[in-house]
Amino acid sequence: MTPRVRLVPEPRSPRLVRREMRDRTELLTEAVGALPPVYGERWLHVGERAYRQFEPGRSKLSAGLVRGWTGPLPAPGESWLYLGAASGTTASHVADLLGPEGRLYAVERSPRPFARLLALAERWPNLLPVLADARAPRGYAAWVGPALGLYADVAQPDQVAIVRTNAELFLEGAGAPVVLALKTASMGRERDPAGHLEAATRELASFVDLVPSVRLDPFHRGHFLLGGRLRGGAGGPPRSLRPVTRAARPRARRRS
Amino acid sequence: MATAVVVARLGELYLVGPDGRARSFPRAASRELPAAALPAGLERELRTLPGEVALVADEPGRAEAISAVLGRRLGLATDETLRSARRALPRVARTAERAAVLAHARATLERVLASPEEVLISLAREEERFERAVGREQRAAEAFLAPEQTSLREYAAAWAAVRASLERHHERLRDRLAEQARRVVPNLAALVGERVAARLVAGAGGVEALGRMRGARIQLLGSRRRPSPERGPRFGVLYRADRMEDVPPDRRGAYARSLAALAAIAARADATTRADLSPRLVARRDRRVEQLRARRP
Ligand SMILES: C[S@@+](CC[C@H](N)C(=O)[O-])C[C@H]1O[C@@H](n2cnc3c(N)ncnc32)[C@H](O)[C@@H]1O
């Protein structure tokens, strides 16, 4: 007999479950890979299924959920693009949410974390790692298939611009989910976190219909989760939102 | 206007014609596209395209490489054109996609890690780790007491031999590191010393990143926390730079600041022009050391 564990699936993403404990609620994701743990997280086995603890202190997406994120989430069977996957802590959970039929294209620029991401991908069947600079999506488009949603956590001053160039190239049409973990500390000292949030929100709002952003304090100081759904007609944002010098832009952006 | 698009997807090249149909041209062994590796079939196909069909590619490098072969200017596909061309590509089976992406990831990682800069970063981290381990071992050994008449004596002698061999290894590691630093960041290495130069590169995550930093950032590289009024100043790896010892302790903050400014210049040169600025930078550094010494009350 299995021990009585009550797991409540999240309606937006059923492979994400909540476990009500006496004094708190735990988040877990249903694993698409097998043990050992990816980064030391606890595993819970219920019948045939394995769940991995998704701790807000370790992942900005988890912190966002705890803080009441109402925006879109990766769901089973979808393909998502993840920018700034590092060694795969959060990416492994996003892959869990996408399930065995989904795919996660995970872009990371820095070779050492990428080495660990690659080792993870070898045993995480829906994780597809790409070693590349997210600022130059043309350089890795050959390795990324059609994507429904975009999650970004690159911690760069131009993070919203990075999201935009990738969304324009890879996402298919209006309504595509876009989620951005914003690190205000990487955006310079001219503004305080609230100022950075406001600027990023304004910039993102020019091509995404935003849901209310959430602060990730105290789990991640000075971080926010923001995003919503891509605006515009089929095939990307409407023309009116695009810079006039479109053809020249991708080239100019390349800073290799 | 009718447009034909050259698109890469996984290991293959595709031509998506004005009719919106995709034809695939398997690439030669190399996954990258040197101009010469343009598949013969594709080249033939491109040459027969009528002149009024606009020809574009998915990526600037590819557009250029194909232009060179064809003697006809290829443009860069707009996002919209590229998205619709990609929609025309055949769906790839899951297992085939996975195998191709993983193989590509292994190959690119291997190539990146083999670059002189990444080798320098690996050596810098390794040396730092090793230095810490040997230091810990040294302190522990000093606390270990082994009286003459006991078997502990023999044990201590054996350990001393192991330690000597570790130290020889450390020395070789430092030599390699120094050589690599002189090759990758010659100006910086001359200014602050090879080991510190290597740690700065590792701390910044690369020569290019370091070359873009200002002095104030460089001064803090390698320090574990931000400066704070309560907990005093912080010391980055720059505090272990050459000639720091020659400066009176209460002037070292000032020296670190000047040195960081010079290091920013050196790193920028190493990242961009690669001009040899070292004689001038070293002269400025040494003048600063003398100044700080002279102002001693
Ligand atoms: C805050 S970490 C991501 C942590 C990770 N998302 C997680 O929660 O497990 C940011 C990562 O973005 C990567 N990054 C920064 N700039 C990038 C770029 N231009 N392209 C790709 N990755 C980038 C960094 O190397 C770093 O690993």
Side-chain angles (χ1 to χ4, degrees):
Chain A
M1 203 186 101
T2 48
R4 275 195 328 126
V5 179
R6 213 167 69 88
L7 300 176
V8 183
E10 156 69 41
R12 282 171 294 171
S13 185
R15 294 175 63 92
L16 175 71
V17 298
R18 292 191 160 76
R19 182 184 182 197
E20 303 292 341
M21 318 274 278
R22 202 169 306 138
D23 51 343
R24 71 207 148 90
T25 304
E26 240 179 42
L27 289 174
L28 302 108
T29 61
E30 186 179 345
V32 293
L35 281 164
V38 176
Y39 55 93
E41 78 285 4
R42 272 202 311 111
W43 284 51
L44 176 71
H45 295 268
V46 181
E48 296 285 276
R49 301 183 177 194
Y51 295 89
R52 304 164 56 226
Q53 195 176 4
F54 190 25
E55 253 188 77
R58 296 301 298 268
S59 166
K60 286 159 224 160
L61 180 57
S62 174
L65 290 162
V66 169
R67 298 298 310 256
W69 171 250
T70 55
L73 290 174
E78 298 174 353
S79 292
W80 278 55
L81 175 60
Y82 190 129
L83 306 176
S87 52
T89 302
T90 301
S92 66
H93 289 286
V94 172
D96 284 352
L97 299 184
L98 297 171
E101 303 302 318
R103 297 170 212 218
L104 183 63
Y105 301 98
V107 177
E108 170 57 47
R109 175 183 64 174
S110 182
R112 279 166 192 79
F114 185 83
R116 294 174 54 198
L117 182 68
L118 175 56
L120 171 65
E122 307 265 8
R123 66 187 184 91
W124 222 251
N126 62 357
L127 185 56
L128 299 161
V130 180
L131 177 59
D133 185 341
R135 289 195 179 96
R138 296 295 179 117
Y140 54 83
W143 307 96
V144 172
L148 182 93
L150 172 63
Y151 183 90
D153 182 9
V154 286
Q156 294 292 313
D158 55 340
Q159 47 205 338
V160 180
I162 291 176
V163 165
R164 185 182 186 132
T165 41
N166 279 274
E168 285 175 347
L169 184 56
F170 294 113
L171 296 187
E172 285 297 337
V178 175
V179 181
L180 168 62
L182 192 78
K183 178 180 181 179
T184 55
S186 333
M187 301 171 72
R189 305 238 173 101
E190 310 81 54
R191 295 197 182 104
D192 60 355
H196 282 309
L197 174 67
E198 199 201 308
T201 303
R202 209 174 325 111
E203 207 183 331
L204 203 59
S206 70
F207 61 103
V208 175
D209 283 326
L210 297 175
V211 301
S213 58
V214 296
R215 280 164 65 92
L216 305 184
D217 293 75
F219 305 110
H220 304 269
R221 271 175 52 198
H223 287 76
F224 299 86
L225 201 65
L226 53 162
R229 295 188 179 274
L230 200 63
R231 185 162 333 119
R239 273 174 186 288
S240 59
L241 290 176
R242 294 179 176 157
V244 195
T245 54
R246 268 186 80 56
R249 215 166 45 105
R251 215 190 288 252
R253 273 279 161 77
R254 285 173 68 85
R255 326 177 174 158
S256 68
Chain B
M1 188 172 64
T3 307
V5 193
V6 180
V7 194
R9 174 82 180 107
L10 303 172
E12 314 254 302
L13 276 180
Y14 295 86
L15 180 64
V16 180
D19 58 354
R21 298 249 299 274
R23 300 182 46 194
S24 93
F25 299 89
R27 249 186 266 181
S30 157
R31 294 194 175 275
E32 302 306 317
L33 180 67
L38 188 58
L42 177 57
E43 185 180 340
R44 223 172 306 119
E45 196 68 24
L46 292 175
R47 287 195 189 283
T48 57
L49 274 179
E52 68 272 13
V53 174
L55 191 50
V56 294
D58 55 355
E59 202 256 326
R62 189 152 18 249
E64 217 156 279
I66 300 177
S67 299
V69 173
L70 286 192
R72 171 180 171 183
R73 196 74 228 144
L74 257 74
L76 185 64
T78 61
D79 286 345
E80 211 164 300
T81 306
L82 184 52
R83 261 204 321 269
S84 69
R86 280 162 60 89
R87 272 197 297 272
L89 302 183
R91 280 188 65 84
V92 185
R94 239 191 128 72
T95 47
E97 178 183 35
R98 186 171 158 75
V101 171
L102 288 178
H104 177 70
R106 285 183 212 111
T108 44
L109 179 63
E110 185 82 0
R111 198 180 56 225
V112 169
L113 286 178
S115 72
E117 171 182 5
E118 293 298 335
V119 168
L120 177 66
I121 294 176
S122 290
L123 285 172
R125 301 220 169 142
E126 189 62 11
E127 195 275 331
E128 195 169 353
R129 183 179 73 76
F130 205 82
E131 184 188 46
R132 243 185 327 211
V134 168
R136 214 181 304 124
E137 175 52 35
Q138 186 67 44
R139 284 189 301 280
E142 280 158 14
F144 180 78
L145 304 174
E148 287 277 6
Q149 295 82 3
T150 63
S151 59
L152 289 176
R153 191 70 180 184
E154 250 167 64
Y155 168 80
W159 242 126
V162 170
R163 221 167 25 247
S165 129
L166 288 180
E167 267 151 30
R168 278 195 302 281
H169 173 72
H170 193 188
E171 206 164 294
R172 277 199 301 276
L173 181 56
R174 287 172 67 157
D175 288 347
R176 280 199 169 169
L177 174 69
E179 195 190 316
Q180 192 77 7
R182 284 193 297 270
R183 193 174 317 151
V184 178
V185 280
N187 287 301
L188 192 62
L191 181 70
V192 298
E194 291 96 351
R195 194 156 57 134
V196 170
R199 287 190 187 182
L200 289 175
V201 172
V207 178
E208 212 190 297
L210 187 64
R212 277 198 304 263
M213 282 186 187
R214 296 166 185 238
R217 272 291 287 292
I218 294 182
Q219 195 183 342
L220 287 183
L221 276 180
S223 102
R224 291 193 186 218
R225 59 185 176 84
R226 295 207 164 169
S228 76
E230 309 90 69
R231 298 172 56 199
R234 59 299 96 175
F235 303 96
V237 297
L238 211 56
Y239 280 80
R240 305 182 56 170
D242 284 2
R243 304 229 52 196
M244 185 60 82
E245 308 270 277
D246 301 337
V247 176
D250 60 332
R251 308 296 296 162
R252 286 185 188 165
Y255 179 58
R257 214 158 33 246
S258 318
L259 192 57
L262 294 177
I265 299 171
R268 198 170 327 127
D270 288 332
T272 55
T273 61
R274 308 219 27 102
D276 179 16
L277 308 181
S278 60
R280 268 165 51 210
L281 291 172
V282 168
R284 279 173 67 181
R285 174 195 76 185
D286 292 343
R287 265 205 310 280
R288 185 70 179 139
V289 171
E290 294 319 313
Q291 252 177 23
L292 291 169
R293 271 148 66 118
R295 262 189 234 155
R296 190 95 181 116

